[in-house]
C-alpha cells in the first residue's frame, strides 16, 4: 500500500482478497493506520484538504496525488523512498546479515535493510533500525538460518511462568472498574 503511494502518488485501500499473509506480517496491510498524519504534514496541516482526500478514499477507495506539489514534498522534503521485498529476498537478507555481521534480524528489519541497500549511496553510511525481535518469527528464522531464533534474556522460560488473568463478562463498566482498581 505505502510502496505504491511513494512510487506513484496513488493511495489505494486494498480489499481483503488483495491483502496477502507473508513472512513479514506488519507489511501485510490493506489500509495504513497512521498514514493520514503524514498526509496532514504533506498538506502543511490543511485539515480540510486531508478531510476531502479521506472522503474521496471512502467513496472511491483511492486518491491520486501524482504530479502535485504535496506528493513532490514526500521525497524532496521528507526524504521518502520505497521498495518491496519478496520472501526469498527477506530470507537471503536475514541469512547474509547473520553471516556477515553475526546479527540475527527479524523479517521486518530484513525488509528495511534490503530496501535501504538498494537506495544506499556510495560512501554514505546506512543505518537500519531493528523493528521487532527475531524470536517472534521462529518459522522464518529457521528457514533462513536453519536454527531457532535467539531469545531475549528476559523471555527465557516465559512459557513456564505463572500467567495472571481475570475472567469477567463483556461489560464495559466492570472492565473500567478493574482497570481503575489495578492501576492505583
Amino acid at each position: 500500500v505505502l510502496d505504491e503511494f511513494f512510487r506513484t502518488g496513488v493511495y489505494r485501500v486494498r480489499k481483503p482478497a488483495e491483502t496477502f499473509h507473508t513472512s513479514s506480517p506488519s507489511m501485510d496491510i490493506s489500509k495504513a493506520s497512521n498514514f493520514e498524519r503524514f498526509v496532514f504534514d504533506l498538506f502543511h496541516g490543511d485539515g480540510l484538504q486531508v478531510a476531502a482526500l479521506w472522503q474521496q478514499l471512502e467513496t472511491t477507495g483511492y486518491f491520486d496525488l501524482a504530479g502535485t506539489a504535496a506528493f513532490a514534498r514526500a521525497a524532496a522534503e521528507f526524504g521518502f523512498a520505497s521498495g518491496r521485498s519478496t520472501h526469498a529476498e527477506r530470507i537471503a537478507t536475514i541469512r547474509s546479515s547473520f553471516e556477515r555481521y553475526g546479527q540475527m534480524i527479524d523479517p521486518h528489519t530484513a525488509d528495511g535493510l534490503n530496501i535501504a541497500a538498494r537506495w544506499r549511496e556510495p560512501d554514505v553510511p546506512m543505518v537500519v533500525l531493528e523493528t521487532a525481535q527475531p524470536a517472534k518469527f521462529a518459522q522464518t528464522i529457521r528457514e533462513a538460518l536453519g536454527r531457532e531464533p535467539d531469545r531475549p534474556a528476559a523471555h527465557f522460560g516465559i512459557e513456564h511462568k505463572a500467567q495472571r488473568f481475570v475472567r469477567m463478562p463483556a461489560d464495559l463498566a466492570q472492565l473500567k472498574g478493574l482497570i481503575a482498581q489495578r492501576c492505583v
Side-chain angles (χ1 to χ4, degrees), residues 23-85:
S23 57
S24 193
S26 288
M27 307 302 175
D28 305 341
I29 59 173
S30 59
K31 185 176 185 182
S33 60
N34 291 318
F35 186 60
E36 188 173 359
R37 294 178 193 173
F38 177 69
V39 173
F40 183 79
D41 288 341
L42 278 181
F43 283 92
H44 301 286
D46 183 345
L48 293 176
Q49 180 67 45
V50 175
L53 287 171
W54 254 253
Q55 180 59 48
Q56 180 182 347
L57 186 64
E58 289 298 318
T59 305
T60 66
Y62 79 99
F63 59 78
D64 185 351
L65 299 182
T68 67
F71 180 63
R73 292 184 66 229
E77 291 181 38
F78 291 93
F80 273 97
S82 86
R84 344 172 30 128
S85 185

Side-chain angles (χ1 to χ4, degrees), residues 48-159:
L48 293 176
Q49 180 67 45
V50 175
L53 287 171
W54 254 253
Q55 180 59 48
Q56 180 182 347
L57 186 64
E58 289 298 318
T59 305
T60 66
Y62 79 99
F63 59 78
D64 185 351
L65 299 182
T68 67
F71 180 63
R73 292 184 66 229
E77 291 181 38
F78 291 93
F80 273 97
S82 86
R84 344 172 30 128
S85 185
T86 66
H87 178 73
E89 291 168 328
R90 197 171 296 127
I91 294 297
T93 303
I94 292 169
R95 187 175 295 131
S96 69
S97 176
F98 192 72
E99 291 169 354
R100 188 169 181 188
Y101 305 109
Q103 185 68 42
M104 186 179 293
I105 61 174
D106 67 275
H108 304 124
T109 302
D111 289 334
L113 184 58
N114 179 28
I115 301 307
R118 294 181 202 171
W119 285 97
R120 185 171 185 246
E121 297 175 24
D123 302 320
V124 175
M126 177 177 68
V127 176
V128 175
L129 302 177
E130 181 179 55
T131 58
Q133 286 289 336
K136 292 175 60 178
F137 306 94
Q139 180 178 342
T140 303
I141 298 302
R142 282 191 300 271
E143 182 180 347
L145 303 178
R147 59 168 278 196
E148 290 298 317
D150 295 335
R151 184 181 280 204
H155 294 191
F156 281 115
I158 194 168
E159 62 274 7

Side-chain angles (χ1 to χ4, degrees), residues 166 168 173-183:
V166 174
M168 60 187 310
Q174 285 188 35
L175 177 61
K176 286 180 177 180
L178 178 68
I179 292 169
Q181 176 189 14
R182 297 283 173 101
C183 292

